[in-house]
């Protein structure tokens, strides 16, 4: 992979990271801000909203970790190399998911393993 391509990927990942951080901060503001200022009647609604928010931030956090991991791989010069088998990740896959850290084969195997062993394989 050439340097210009890597630079644009880094830029893309950094933008994504900034966006995710902002999303998490906004979600957290909402969570804590609301709980003090709202009336008791709103509590049921709030709980619902909070559940949604937590599910959302959970996903955002997960995604943020993936992005951070990809940036770390860029830093170490191992970007584009599969975490599991050490083979290059398909370039089409990287274009679609710049934060991908596993090749298609490993990702598929990993998903299958997780289904069969229910979480034994980390
Ligand atoms: Zn692999």
């Amino acid at each position: 992979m050439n340097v210009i391509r890597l630079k644009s990927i880094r830029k893309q990942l950094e933008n994504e990271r900034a966006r995710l951080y902002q999303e998490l901060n906004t979600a957290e503001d909402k969570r804590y801000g609301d709980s003090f200022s709202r009336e008791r009647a709103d509590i049921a609604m709030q709980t619902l909203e909070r559940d949604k928010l937590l599910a959302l931030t959970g996903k955002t956090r997960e995604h943020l970790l993936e992005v951070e991991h990809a940036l770390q791989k860029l830093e170490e010069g191992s970007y584009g190399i599969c975490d599991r088998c050490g083979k290059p990740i398909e370039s089409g896959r990287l274009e679609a998911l710049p934060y991908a850290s596993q090749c298609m084969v490993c990702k598929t195997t990993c998903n299958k393993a997780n289904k069969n062993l229910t979480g034994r394989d980390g």
Side-chain angles (χ1 to χ4, degrees), residues 59-122:
K59 265 183 209 157
T60 308
R61 241 177 259 274
E62 227 169 81
H63 185 38
L64 182 59
L65 287 176
E66 286 177 326
V67 171
E68 295 264 25
H69 184 60
L71 278 165
Q72 201 193 332
K73 280 167 79 83
L74 268 173
E75 230 25 81
E76 291 167 352
S78 64
Y79 182 80
I81 305 294
C82 174
D83 272 357
R84 279 171 87 91
C85 69
K87 285 180 192 160
I89 300 170
E90 299 85 347
S91 61
R93 177 169 164 74
L94 280 177
E95 251 164 61
L97 308 166
Y99 48 83
S101 61
Q102 284 178 20
C103 71
M104 204 72 105
V105 177
C106 289
K107 191 74 191 175
T108 315
T109 320
C110 180
N111 282 347
K112 270 187 202 153
N114 279 345
K115 261 176 211 157
N116 292 340
L117 299 169
T118 54
R120 271 215 52 186
D121 186 43

